[in-house]
Amino acid sequence: MTRRNFINSTSASYASLLAWGMLQPAPASALTLPANGRNHDGKARKVIVLGAGLAGMATAYELGKLGYDCTVLEARARSGGRVWTIRGGTKETELNGGTAQSCQFEDGLYFNGGAARIPHHHQLTLQYCRELGVSLQIFNGNNEAAYLYNDGGTGDLANRRLRIKEYHNDMRGYTAELLAKALDQSALDQQLTKEDIEKLVDFLKNEGDLNTAHLYKGTNRRGYKTKGEPGAGPTPGDLTDPFGLTDLLRSGFMQPVFYNVGDYIYEQQTTLLQPVGGMDAIPKALEKKLADKIVFNAPVTELRKTENGVRIVYQKEGKPTELTAEFCVCTLPLPMLKNLESDLSGTVKRAADFVPYIKTGKIGLQFKRRFWEEDDWIYGGISRTNMDINQIWYPSFGFQGKKGVLIGYYNFYSRAEAVGALPVAEREKLALNQGAKIHPQYPTEFDNSFSLAWHRIPYSGGGWATYDDATRRKYYPTLLEPDGNIYFAGEHTTYLTAWMAGAFTSAHRAVEAIHARVGQYTKK
Amino acid sequence: MTRRNFINSTSASYASLLAWGMLQPAPASALTLPANGRNHDGKARKVIVLGAGLAGMATAYELGKLGYDCTVLEARARSGGRVWTIRGGTKETELNGGTAQSCQFEDGLYFNGGAARIPHHHQLTLQYCRELGVSLQIFNGNNEAAYLYNDGGTGDLANRRLRIKEYHNDMRGYTAELLAKALDQSALDQQLTKEDIEKLVDFLKNEGDLNTAHLYKGTNRRGYKTKGEPGAGPTPGDLTDPFGLTDLLRSGFMQPVFYNVGDYIYEQQTTLLQPVGGMDAIPKALEKKLADKIVFNAPVTELRKTENGVRIVYQKEGKPTELTAEFCVCTLPLPMLKNLESDLSGTVKRAADFVPYIKTGKIGLQFKRRFWEEDDWIYGGISRTNMDINQIWYPSFGFQGKKGVLIGYYNFYSRAEAVGALPVAEREKLALNQGAKIHPQYPTEFDNSFSLAWHRIPYSGGGWATYDDATRRKYYPTLLEPDGNIYFAGEHTTYLTAWMAGAFTSAHRAVEAIHARVGQYTKK
């Protein structure tokens, strides 16, 4: 990444880059100059970073560039936090009596247990990928060929799978027809001129694929009959009939579980990206940059303020070990901060207590063949249902390979709580039974599984911060200010909660704040 | 690919597979049995295939499996026909006094000059990829972040670029608002029950992101202000204002050039795929299967019927060379068939004369940096304009690399005719001047280009067959029947014109027809 590109496209950090002197040409020898992160005695200022997730590692990486001496304490044996790719050999035992799992996926198969997509507008994440040499590929979020399944409903469209394209194009068709009718009936004459009405009707004819009478009578956009695709010779294709509007309206597919989380919203719009080989390519690349700066298997137990800085106690091979520094950047998820012995202020402690974290879970299911591709023509994307499994994610990589891993459930809130409370064998059973309603191939093709409930994962304790207006107003501002020499970072200190971009932007913000505080550095 | 999978998912060829005996277990030694494609004397039946495009090679490949002895005559030095990937070293000189071009792209950069996407429902193409070991990746067809540009129009939305997401979400918002209003005013009461109207209004609120008063007042789905994305700290994001409905209606974006070819239509719906490394991975893999069966640099000049078969004359190192066989499968594009000396029937000759082929062209532009990604956050997808360049395609591979090749125009009909008539230097100039209106980075970042006009490409002479109802009725049936022992295949003999799937299904159909004609073969 060139300096210019970095600057052009990082709106938030332009000021900070100026501050950091990155706009100056590099000095002939950096060591001959007082480094930005050094004290007047020339020694590097010490910073302890809690957590080797993206926020913590990015903080240490950027502070390191400025000459600070960072130590990152990480409770786990791995980096990445909630950026975690599950593959053969991955081991985990959940809190509250979880069963030990050891993943049995075949080589090359995996799923992203946590963060799983990068929106094209999350430029800071994408810039880090560029800077760190992480290769990207498309994450196929919106697949018109994936399924909707309304379980337990009534009517013709309940308890059966239908393609998203069938639902989408029928609804577009009927609503276009209805609006065209209202316009034809002059019901909206006060809104629009005659000329505009004509133009709008033209639009609706395209939008809904209406016939010349402005009626929706089906469209090839919703697909052809099975074995009725257009082909060679005298076979132009057999169209399918549209569903009835009343059936569609009573289908239940307007519920947010099917729709609202879907295709249009900003964070899930095309284009989405993912690293080639798994999301943990990002933390692994950052970890590499930090060489010996990360102490693994080092859970923090105490977080203390001292006269000139901070004192941290962590467990080293089971023994309490102390570390002091001028600053601390704490990126621990709030459910973990809650458990710490600390001198943190009451308002920070209350934030840790009361900012809600989402319960969420996923299961990866390995199948003997990629039947969703071979039989169902589904290459990536997401099927949605109101069953406990909620979403099925098809992999956006390894297309047409022999075996495959799909995400058999991705659920939230009460569904995730209920499923996450089950023993892993029961979760697998539930995923297979419910998934088989959408994919009858499940029972014969299933190999093995690995499941996780983020609210039960040690050192995470939840999916991500889920502020509502009240908690955002009440607790969020506290986390934006340092508490003594302790700064906070992580997705929970941003308006990009749940996203890796939140971790990265929060790291930049913490670095800027510390650097501003230590004051002027010697300009070249 | 297992036998079962192949059968399950190939609707059109199930009968043929039965006929071909592929449902039987493989014989202990194939050589001890009379092979299907052999005469009573045990010699393989001879078939001459004209053209080593996908249709020709698939025909030879499948006939070869059945024991026929095929020779494929190919006019060019390469296989693939209109499946052609342009990369460094690619050379071409167009008909009618074209300038010799030699592509200067850097290693690893390319564009697909012809076929460029595989719809998920083109299962035969995908099966060949599976069988031939061609790796696939997502082709990102629908990118909400790409641009629309109405050149020369009037009003606020003309002569400026806007994001597709801005247009889409505003139109969804306003149409949802208008329909909700009509429903609120009981304008459509005769159509729907009160309960259904309520459900539909709920749907519209989601669909258009309407406020509680059922009004569209903008949405974050259309994006945030430049440098106004949500971030860390006290920055929830700066929303943009929606365009006015009247402005949108008068924008001209309802024209098919912007819209109708767009996101919804069946062939371009998600998911689309492409081979890793270029579309020519498919013909190259087929070519490998045909080993010594293809004669390159062998343009056919005569196509004759004999008492028991066919006689072909082709040029071999400039000298007329004769070849005879029992059958011929002719996959030459009709503009080429037209030029052949032949015994073809009058109806076939008239089909060759009168079935229209599309004029179409592309230019690949190499740039020094991928500014569309770095500055504009565009990762794959297509921008659309009413200028001569018509479409700009951003590559769906090599993301965040140093340099990149985008397709600077992809145009059709009169636009392609006008641009294709220009000398290559003028085409480049036109692509750069018009493209710079959408991407002002063009002039400073441009490296080099390679352009093509399919109607001027030797041995193709057009993009693809474009039947209208009349030509489909009048000429198409002729091409589905053999003319003596000459069979026809190629996209022009299908309802999948322009698509690789058309070439493949037509090959299956020709193979089936020949095999049915030679009658019963010895069943195991």
Side-chain angles (χ1 to χ4, degrees):
Chain A
M1 185 179 53
T2 67
R3 195 170 276 229
R4 189 165 59 83
N5 298 342
F6 185 77
I7 290 156
N8 276 346
S9 39
T10 315
S11 54
S13 62
Y14 184 73
S16 65
L17 284 161
L18 270 169
W20 301 355
M22 279 184 68
L23 297 180
Q24 311 296 331
S29 161
L31 291 175
T32 63
L33 293 165
N36 313 340
R38 286 171 195 265
N39 275 307
H40 297 298
D41 62 5
K43 280 193 188 145
R45 294 173 188 278
K46 284 209 158 88
V47 181
I48 300 171
V49 178
L50 305 187
L54 295 193
M57 288 195 291
T59 299
Y61 177 51
E62 295 300 342
L63 284 174
K65 287 181 188 172
L66 298 171
Y68 292 81
D69 178 15
C70 295
T71 302
V72 184
L73 298 177
E74 169 54 49
R76 296 178 167 102
R78 63 166 179 86
S79 68
R82 285 162 284 169
V83 180
W84 187 30
T85 302
I86 315 296
R87 45 172 75 81
T90 299
K91 289 183 196 341
E92 188 58 284
T93 305
E94 291 179 9
L95 301 169
N96 306 319
T99 323
Q101 287 184 89
S102 177
C103 183
Q104 303 298 315
F105 296 163
E106 285 203 357
D107 272 3
L109 299 182
Y110 58 84
F111 73 101
N112 292 316
R117 39 193 170 192
I118 308 174
H120 60 278
H121 44 81
H122 283 184
Q123 280 293 306
L124 194 53
T125 305
L126 291 163
Q127 280 159 31
Y128 272 111
C129 290
R130 205 178 279 132
E131 178 168 343
L132 299 167
V134 173
S135 296
L136 299 174
Q137 60 192 188
I138 302 274
F139 173 91
N140 190 23
N142 304 320
N143 185 346
E144 292 283 324
Y147 292 112
L148 300 175
Y149 189 100
N150 183 9
D151 188 64
T154 55
D156 284 355
L157 302 184
N159 303 305
R160 54 166 287 191
R161 66 184 192 182
L162 51 92
R163 303 265 190 187
I164 291 173
K165 66 175 78 175
E166 295 174 305
Y167 172 74
H168 270 182
N169 288 296
D170 282 352
M171 284 307 297
R172 281 196 199 110
Y174 288 121
T175 52
E177 174 185 313
L178 285 170
L179 181 51
K181 201 164 287 173
L183 293 166
D184 288 346
Q185 291 170 0
S186 307
L188 298 159
D189 269 8
Q190 292 176 322
Q191 300 275 311
L192 296 163
T193 66
K194 192 164 171 294
E195 181 201 347
D196 286 346
I197 286 177
E198 272 166 29
K199 287 196 154 78
L200 183 51
V201 170
D202 274 349
F203 168 83
L204 294 169
K205 281 158 68 181
N206 274 339
E207 179 77 5
D209 205 7
L210 305 185
N211 68 15
T212 48
H214 304 177
L215 298 176
Y216 177 66
K217 295 293 183 189
T219 168
N220 81 330
R221 296 175 186 176
R222 71 193 307 290
Y224 291 85
K225 286 185 184 152
T226 313
K227 317 219 170 214
E229 295 285 322
T235 54
D238 286 337
L239 288 176
T240 52
D241 292 327
F243 300 132
L245 174 57
T246 302
D247 290 335
L248 287 162
L249 289 173
R250 297 178 186 182
S251 67
F253 292 129
M254 280 84 186
Q255 295 168 72
V257 66
F258 291 108
Y259 184 78
N260 208 17
V261 290
D263 302 355
Y264 298 161
I265 68 170
Y266 188 55
E267 289 79 6
Q268 294 179 24
Q269 273 171 8
T270 54
T271 305
L272 297 161
L273 298 150
Q274 65 183 7
V276 175
M279 196 60 88
D280 61 356
I282 299 175
K284 277 179 179 164
L286 267 173
E287 186 186 327
K288 218 166 156 184
K289 292 283 181 191
L290 293 171
D292 51 344
K293 300 292 183 193
I294 307 176
V295 185
F296 288 102
N297 302 303
V300 174
T301 50
E302 281 184 54
L303 175 48
R304 302 295 178 191
K305 299 173 187 168
T306 63
E307 201 180 340
N308 299 312
V310 296
R311 181 172 63 82
I312 311 289
V313 182
Y314 68 96
Q315 295 295 109
K316 189 179 179 182
E317 290 164 17
K319 286 193 307 203
T321 308
E322 226 177 71
L323 208 61
T324 58
E326 189 174 348
F327 297 106
C328 171
V329 179
C330 174
T331 73
L332 304 187
L334 296 180
M336 296 297 105
L337 194 60
K338 197 156 55 179
N339 302 327
L340 233 53
E341 295 289 324
S342 79
D343 299 337
L344 290 169
S345 70
T347 51
V348 170
K349 283 182 174 173
R350 276 191 295 281
D353 283 342
F354 293 114
V355 171
Y357 268 59
I358 198 168
K359 292 182 171 68
T360 180
K362 286 184 185 172
I363 191 168
L365 302 173
Q366 180 176 300
F367 289 100
K368 296 185 188 80
R369 67 181 185 96
R370 300 169 78 98
F371 55 82
W372 55 92
E373 296 174 358
E374 294 171 13
D375 306 347
D376 297 317
W377 314 354
I378 294 174
Y379 295 80
I382 302 172
S383 287
R384 298 178 194 276
T385 175
N386 55 343
M387 291 185 280
D388 294 327
I389 59 172
N390 206 332
Q391 300 181 10
I392 297 176
W393 286 34
Y394 310 94
S396 289
F397 66 93
F399 298 120
Q400 308 213 119
K402 194 172 150 16
K403 297 194 170 192
V405 168
L406 55 68
I407 296 178
Y409 63 71
Y410 181 27
N411 49 21
F412 313 92
Y413 300 110
S414 59
R415 284 190 184 92
E417 187 168 12
V419 175
L422 299 173
V424 293
E426 293 297 313
R427 293 177 189 171
E428 179 184 289
K429 211 165 135 185
L430 178 142
L432 292 176
N433 286 342
Q434 295 189 359
K437 294 189 182 183
I438 298 172
H439 292 292
Q441 303 96 327
Y442 264 34
T444 49
E445 306 295 350
F446 177 67
D447 258 351
N448 59 64
S449 78
F450 188 99
S451 66
L452 56 96
W454 276 105
H455 45 291
R456 293 182 60 189
I457 294 289
Y459 309 118
S460 292
W464 56 84
T466 51
Y467 293 100
D468 54 19
D469 286 351
T471 49
R472 182 71 80 174
R473 215 167 32 242
K474 200 162 176 188
Y475 302 115
Y476 183 66
T478 299
L479 299 171
L480 307 185
E481 299 301 320
D483 185 356
N485 286 21
I486 301 163
Y487 290 74
F488 302 99
E491 51 90 24
H492 55 287
T493 67
T494 73
Y495 280 92
L496 292 164
T497 50
W499 293 100
M500 297 190 294
F504 285 127
T505 53
S506 75
H508 277 218
R509 191 169 181 277
V511 170
E512 284 172 43
I514 288 174
H515 206 62
R517 179 157 163 190
V518 301
Q520 290 299 314
Y521 57 90
T522 310
K523 280 235 180 67
K524 204 185 71 71
Chain B
M1 185 175 57
T2 67
R3 196 171 276 228
R4 189 166 59 84
N5 298 343
F6 185 76
I7 290 157
N8 276 346
S9 41
T10 316
S11 56
S13 61
Y14 184 75
S16 65
L17 284 162
L18 270 169
W20 301 357
M22 280 183 69
L23 297 181
Q24 311 295 332
S29 162
L31 291 175
T32 62
L33 293 165
N36 312 341
R38 287 171 194 266
N39 275 307
H40 298 296
D41 61 4
K43 282 194 188 141
R45 295 176 187 274
K46 286 210 157 84
V47 181
I48 299 171
V49 177
L50 306 187
L54 295 193
M57 287 195 291
T59 298
Y61 177 50
E62 296 299 343
L63 284 174
K65 287 181 187 172
L66 298 171
Y68 292 81
D69 177 17
C70 295
T71 302
V72 185
L73 298 177
E74 170 54 50
R76 297 178 166 103
R78 64 167 179 87
S79 68
R82 284 162 286 170
V83 181
W84 186 31
T85 302
I86 315 297
R87 45 173 73 81
T90 299
K91 289 184 193 344
E92 188 59 282
T93 306
E94 291 179 9
L95 302 169
N96 305 321
T99 323
Q101 288 184 87
S102 177
C103 183
Q104 303 298 315
F105 296 163
E106 284 203 359
D107 272 3
L109 299 181
Y110 57 86
F111 74 101
N112 291 316
R117 40 194 169 191
I118 308 174
H120 60 278
H121 44 81
H122 284 184
Q123 281 293 307
L124 195 53
T125 305
L126 290 164
Q127 281 160 32
Y128 272 110
C129 290
R130 205 179 277 131
E131 179 169 342
L132 299 167
V134 173
S135 297
L136 298 175
Q137 60 191 187
I138 302 271
F139 173 91
N140 191 23
N142 304 321
N143 184 346
E144 292 282 324
Y147 292 112
L148 300 176
Y149 189 101
N150 183 8
D151 187 65
T154 56
D156 283 355
L157 302 184
N159 303 306
R160 55 167 286 190
R161 64 184 193 182
L162 50 93
R163 303 265 190 188
I164 291 172
K165 66 175 77 176
E166 296 175 303
Y167 173 73
H168 271 181
N169 288 296
D170 282 352
M171 284 308 297
R172 281 196 198 109
Y174 288 120
T175 53
E177 173 185 312
L178 285 170
L179 182 51
K181 201 163 284 174
L183 293 166
D184 288 345
Q185 292 170 0
S186 308
L188 297 160
D189 269 7
Q190 292 177 320
Q191 300 275 311
L192 295 163
T193 67
K194 192 166 171 295
E195 182 202 347
D196 287 346
I197 286 176
E198 272 167 27
K199 287 197 153 77
L200 183 52
V201 170
D202 274 350
F203 168 83
L204 294 169
K205 280 158 67 182
N206 274 339
E207 179 76 6
D209 205 8
L210 305 185
N211 68 15
T212 47
H214 304 177
L215 298 176
Y216 176 68
K217 295 293 183 189
T219 169
N220 81 330
R221 297 175 185 175
R222 70 193 308 289
Y224 290 86
K225 286 185 183 152
T226 312
K227 317 219 172 213
E229 295 286 322
T235 54
D238 286 337
L239 289 176
T240 52
D241 292 326
F243 300 132
L245 175 57
T246 302
D247 289 336
L248 287 162
L249 290 173
R250 298 178 186 181
S251 67
F253 292 128
M254 281 83 186
Q255 297 169 72
V257 67
F258 292 107
Y259 184 77
N260 208 18
V261 289
D263 301 356
Y264 297 161
I265 69 169
Y266 188 57
E267 289 80 6
Q268 294 179 24
Q269 272 171 7
T270 53
T271 306
L272 297 162
L273 298 151
Q274 65 182 6
V276 175
M279 195 60 88
D280 61 357
I282 299 176
K284 277 179 180 163
L286 267 173
E287 185 185 328
K288 220 167 155 183
K289 292 283 181 189
L290 293 171
D292 53 344
K293 300 293 183 192
I294 307 176
V295 186
F296 288 102
N297 302 303
V300 174
T301 51
E302 281 183 55
L303 174 48
R304 301 296 179 191
K305 298 174 188 168
T306 63
E307 201 180 340
N308 301 311
V310 297
R311 181 172 63 83
I312 311 288
V313 182
Y314 68 96
Q315 295 295 110
K316 190 179 176 182
E317 290 165 16
K319 285 192 308 198
T321 308
E322 227 177 69
L323 209 60
T324 58
E326 190 174 348
F327 297 106
C328 171
V329 179
C330 175
T331 73
L332 303 187
L334 297 179
M336 297 297 106
L337 193 61
K338 199 156 53 180
N339 302 328
L340 232 53
E341 295 288 323
S342 79
D343 298 337
L344 290 169
S345 71
T347 50
V348 170
K349 284 183 173 170
R350 275 191 296 280
D353 283 343
F354 293 114
V355 171
Y357 268 59
I358 198 168
K359 293 182 170 69
T360 181
K362 286 184 185 172
I363 191 167
L365 303 174
Q366 179 176 300
F367 289 101
K368 296 185 187 81
R369 68 181 184 96
R370 300 167 79 98
F371 56 82
W372 55 94
E373 296 175 359
E374 294 171 14
D375 307 346
D376 297 318
W377 313 354
I378 294 174
Y379 296 80
I382 302 171
S383 287
R384 297 178 194 276
T385 176
N386 56 343
M387 292 185 280
D388 294 327
I389 59 172
N390 205 332
Q391 299 180 11
I392 297 175
W393 285 33
Y394 310 94
S396 289
F397 67 93
F399 297 120
Q400 308 214 120
K402 194 171 150 22
K403 296 194 171 191
V405 167
L406 55 69
I407 296 178
Y409 62 71
Y410 181 27
N411 48 21
F412 312 91
Y413 300 110
S414 59
R415 283 190 184 92
E417 186 168 10
V419 175
L422 299 172
V424 293
E426 293 297 312
R427 294 178 188 170
E428 179 184 288
K429 209 165 137 186
L430 178 142
L432 292 175
N433 285 341
Q434 295 189 357
K437 293 189 180 181
I438 298 172
H439 292 292
Q441 303 95 329
Y442 264 34
T444 49
E445 305 296 349
F446 177 68
D447 258 352
N448 59 65
S449 78
F450 187 100
S451 65
L452 55 95
W454 277 106
H455 45 290
R456 292 182 61 188
I457 295 288
Y459 309 117
S460 291
W464 56 85
T466 51
Y467 293 99
D468 54 22
D469 286 349
T471 50
R472 182 71 79 172
R473 215 167 32 242
K474 201 161 175 186
Y475 301 116
Y476 182 65
T478 299
L479 299 171
L480 306 185
E481 300 301 322
D483 186 355
N485 286 23
I486 302 163
Y487 290 73
F488 302 99
E491 51 89 27
H492 55 287
T493 67
T494 74
Y495 280 92
L496 292 163
T497 50
W499 292 101
M500 295 191 295
F504 285 127
T505 54
S506 76
H508 277 216
R509 192 171 181 275
V511 170
E512 282 173 45
I514 288 174
H515 206 60
R517 179 156 164 190
V518 302
Q520 291 297 315
Y521 57 91
T522 309
K523 279 235 179 71
K524 206 184 67 69

